[in-house]
Amino acid sequence: MKARETKWVLCLLITALILPMQGVAAGSAGDAQTVNAPPAIAPEIGDYGIEIKSGEDLYRPEPEIPDVSAYSRDAVEARLASRPDTPPNVTVERIGDVSALGDFVDEGRAREWVIRQFSHPQAILINRGKVTLDDVYRQVNDQRYMERTDDGTYIIRLPLAVRQDATLVMRDQTLRLSEERGAFIANDGWLFAIDSKIVGWREEADGPATFQEEGSFRPFYVGWGGSENFILGTTMANLGYLQSKSYGFTVAQYSEYDNAKLKRKAPHAWLIDSTFEDLYYGFYCYEAEDVAIVNNVYRDNIVYGIDPHDYSSGLIIANNEVYGTREKHGIIISREVNNSWIVGNRSYNNGLSGIVLDRQSSNNVVANNVSYDNQGDGIGLYESPDNLLWGNRVMNNLRNGIRVRNSSNVDVYHNVAVLNGTWGIYGQLKDLSATDRNFKEDFYDYEVSMRVVGGELVSNASGPLSTDNPAYIALYDVGMRFPRSEVGIHFEGVLGKYQMQIFDALRNQSRAVFIEPSAVVSGQVTQAEN
């Protein structure tokens, strides 16, 4: 049997031993010259104290998770039925003063379309009505701009914009976006893609516009502020490149300057039962709300699989399969993406980590996910306090099972970390002042603190658990079996100092351990009463 197969057999055996898991236990760019305040000096190991007492203070109920059955085919069809059935109005015009296209002709970007169209840039504008691709084709009525093949596939050779009061409906159709002619979709109104395909297309090769390099134009999709975007049972492929709002599939609020005039609400999107492949970013959003990403497949995307960003909130990322991301993370939320749920996903074989919370993303629930075979951590929290990790399984990741970096008040409840390349759980203090981070926008506290309750930390290469000098750490009912080290299960740092007391409390007494700086805990070891 090959070594990899042997490792997976061991993983399965260990997982079988510890699952089903126990129920609820009782008891970026910017001003590089702006620098953060120097980090506080972390306490020496000797400055800590330990308390051993009942675990009842660590009890918390299972988190409430939204019912994703609300995001269904029937619900999408109901939204579509609610749109007024008014006559279609489609024109081909110079891009001019069209809000949905403004970002792509400002700051020199218009040159891209002048070169590709050989003239002043034009676009297909869906101005009013509930419009199908057949309607668009009839009203454009020009093979130079839109063509239909014998099998009913459409190809467009201009940007296509859905204006604010219009609705575009695709059902059981294939739409190809010409790479050579600079086609893309910009939705400023309502768009429904149901059981369809939207594909970046390389006409010269008569094939998909597969990724070549980050700066090379590829068609893309963007839904702007106030837009409603519904993707159901649809494949989106071969889209996106490294340009603002051109990443692949994007929903984004207008800039603060533009929205002072436009006064649009946050964009919304439901992505359900669909497939996203070979996109530069499989999903990206900016200041979005009411986003549901449910039951999709994200495979072989370039930089990120799912990447909600910048001040988005109330997101549901549930029951997706995310794998094969080439460069970075399978799922990442970054820069104050708050009050959201990442639940029931499988994220594996990604270029870095499976799931990441980044840059002050707080009050999120990461629950019941499986993250394995990633080249980074299974789950990483970077500068993101006040989050809950519940019931996740992280297995065979190259680095840590769970990493908590510069993040405080993190609850790690009933998680299983098996066969990871370093620690099962790693609490890390890291000084970022030498980086190019904008610390006015991306501030952080040089602090780690967490409560680890329930679950199993099994056969991880460096050991079950390690943390740099924490503001506090609490442990209760944590299983730590099958050490891979010849020296057995061991801790380092402040945990190493109290290793025997920790093991005795957890294994022999079934009590909780609280370790804090000695200014908080009086005395080195206290056996507290019930």
Side-chain angles (χ1 to χ4, degrees):
M1 186 178 290
K2 296 180 180 179
R4 183 177 178 82
E5 293 173 343
T6 302
K7 193 173 188 179
W8 264 105
V9 169
L10 177 58
C11 182
L12 291 170
L13 288 172
I14 292 172
T15 305
L17 285 171
I18 57 182
L19 296 176
M21 292 172 11
Q22 296 177 349
V24 179
S28 294
D31 179 7
Q33 296 182 352
T34 302
V35 296
N36 199 22
I41 298 174
E44 296 294 332
I45 293 174
D47 293 332
Y48 279 83
I50 183 172
E51 283 189 286
I52 297 171
K53 58 183 182 180
S54 166
E56 64 183 14
D57 290 343
L58 297 177
Y59 169 80
R60 66 175 299 164
E62 187 169 352
E64 293 186 9
I65 294 173
D67 180 7
V68 298
S69 67
Y71 304 98
S72 65
R73 182 169 293 269
D74 288 346
V76 172
E77 294 287 1
R79 292 289 185 104
L80 175 56
S82 72
R83 298 299 297 151
D85 219 354
T86 51
N89 179 277
V90 181
T91 56
V92 175
E93 301 179 22
R94 289 187 174 185
I95 288 178
D97 189 24
V98 178
S99 56
L101 301 175
D103 266 38
F104 311 114
V105 296
D106 292 343
E107 300 179 358
R109 290 188 69 182
R111 183 174 182 272
E112 183 88 62
W113 283 271
V114 171
I115 292 171
R116 293 177 184 277
Q117 295 186 20
F118 315 111
S119 65
H120 192 289
Q122 298 185 99
I124 300 169
L125 304 181
I126 299 175
N127 300 302
R128 293 183 299 279
K130 184 182 283 187
V131 181
T132 68
L133 284 183
D134 298 336
D135 295 325
V136 176
Y137 178 68
R138 283 193 298 269
Q139 296 200 12
V140 167
N141 193 28
D142 192 324
Q143 296 287 314
R144 294 175 300 168
Y145 305 141
M146 186 172 185
E147 185 177 349
R148 182 168 59 194
T149 64
D150 292 341
D151 65 358
T153 294
Y154 287 104
I155 183 165
I156 58 172
R157 300 187 175 99
L158 294 177
L160 184 151
V162 183
R163 304 190 87 164
Q164 186 174 3
D165 295 323
T167 303
L168 175 61
V169 183
M170 291 179 56
R171 190 187 294 276
D172 297 310
Q173 292 176 305
T174 297
L175 177 62
R176 294 171 177 170
L177 311 179
S178 172
E179 179 182 69
E180 288 89 345
R181 299 297 299 278
F184 62 89
I185 299 174
N187 179 27
D188 212 21
W190 293 65
L191 185 142
F192 294 82
I194 300 172
D195 300 327
S196 295
K197 292 182 179 179
I198 300 174
V199 182
W201 197 254
R202 192 165 292 143
E203 292 195 74
E204 291 181 0
D206 193 28
T210 52
F211 178 76
Q212 294 178 325
E213 57 185 15
E214 63 181 21
S216 295
F217 172 87
R218 289 201 302 171
F220 56 89
Y221 179 100
V222 59
W224 285 111
S227 68
E228 302 283 346
N229 305 270
F230 296 90
I231 309 297
L232 171 66
T234 288
T235 294
M236 303 190 74
N238 315 116
L239 303 172
Y241 69 118
L242 184 57
Q243 272 284 7
S244 176
K245 311 304 188 294
S246 306
Y247 302 128
F249 187 99
T250 298
V251 287
Q253 179 58 280
Y254 283 103
S255 69
E256 184 176 356
Y257 173 81
D258 287 337
N259 213 35
K261 298 178 292 182
L262 298 171
K263 301 187 185 306
R264 301 288 172 81
K265 297 178 180 179
H268 302 157
W270 291 6
L271 285 65
I272 304 167
D273 295 330
S274 295
T275 298
F276 302 83
E277 57 184 322
D278 188 39
L279 275 61
Y280 192 66
Y281 292 3
F283 175 87
Y284 176 88
C285 69
Y286 175 88
E287 294 187 2
E289 297 175 2
D290 186 27
V291 171
I293 305 173
V294 179
N295 296 332
N296 303 290
V297 174
Y298 286 82
R299 65 180 174 225
D300 300 329
N301 295 295
I302 309 306
V303 180
Y304 300 110
I306 300 173
D307 180 25
H309 227 277
D310 291 72
Y311 320 116
S312 298
S313 64
L315 281 59
I316 299 173
I317 303 170
N319 305 334
N320 301 285
E321 185 173 10
V322 185
Y323 65 93
T325 309
R326 296 189 201 177
E327 295 184 10
K328 295 187 179 180
H329 314 301
I331 300 171
I332 175 174
I333 62 174
S334 183
R335 189 173 288 138
E336 297 189 53
V337 177
N338 301 329
N339 305 309
S340 297
W341 295 267
I342 302 174
V343 296
N345 303 283
R346 292 176 61 210
S347 186
Y348 60 96
N349 284 336
N350 296 295
L352 282 177
S353 298
I355 299 171
V356 171
L357 281 61
D358 183 42
R359 301 187 187 224
Q360 294 297 319
S361 293
S362 299
N363 299 316
N364 300 293
V365 175
V366 182
N368 305 324
N369 302 283
V370 183
S371 180
Y372 62 95
D373 281 355
N374 296 292
Q375 296 302 301
D377 303 314
I379 299 174
L381 275 67
Y382 305 144
E383 296 73 55
S384 291
D386 303 309
N387 290 293
L388 170 62
L389 308 184
W390 181 285
N392 303 286
R393 288 174 286 167
V394 289
M395 300 176 291
N396 204 43
N397 297 288
L398 186 63
R399 297 180 183 171
N400 304 281
I402 296 171
R403 185 202 305 235
V404 179
R405 188 183 81 181
N406 298 335
S407 301
S408 57
N409 301 322
V410 175
D411 281 354
V412 185
Y413 276 57
H414 310 300
N415 298 276
V416 173
V418 178
L419 286 171
N420 296 289
T422 51
W423 297 97
I425 299 174
Y426 177 36
Q428 180 185 24
L429 290 172
K430 187 171 183 178
D431 178 7
L432 304 179
S433 60
T435 69
D436 63 356
R437 180 178 294 233
N438 181 335
F439 293 104
K440 290 181 179 178
E441 186 172 35
D442 294 322
F443 60 93
Y444 75 98
D445 294 321
Y446 187 73
E447 180 178 298
V448 168
S449 56
M450 57 182 152
R451 305 191 298 178
V452 181
V453 175
E456 296 277 350
L457 310 177
V458 175
S459 198
N460 299 287
S462 299
L465 175 65
S466 178
T467 181
D468 297 338
N469 294 350
Y472 71 81
I473 185 168
L475 306 172
Y476 179 56
D477 192 30
V478 186
M480 304 180 191
R481 293 183 285 172
F482 307 110
R484 286 166 66 182
S485 170
E486 293 182 357
V487 300
I489 297 172
H490 69 285
F491 298 130
E492 295 180 352
V494 62
L495 297 180
K497 178 174 182 178
Y498 299 116
Q499 177 162 312
M500 296 307 297
Q501 293 99 316
I502 292 170
F503 284 156
D504 181 63
L506 295 182
R507 297 175 63 180
N508 299 328
Q509 301 183 48
S510 297
R511 290 162 73 82
V513 173
F514 297 78
I515 298 176
E516 298 176 287
S518 54
V520 178
V521 177
S522 176
Q524 291 297 306
V525 180
T526 302
Q527 297 283 352
E529 296 298 328
N530 288 333

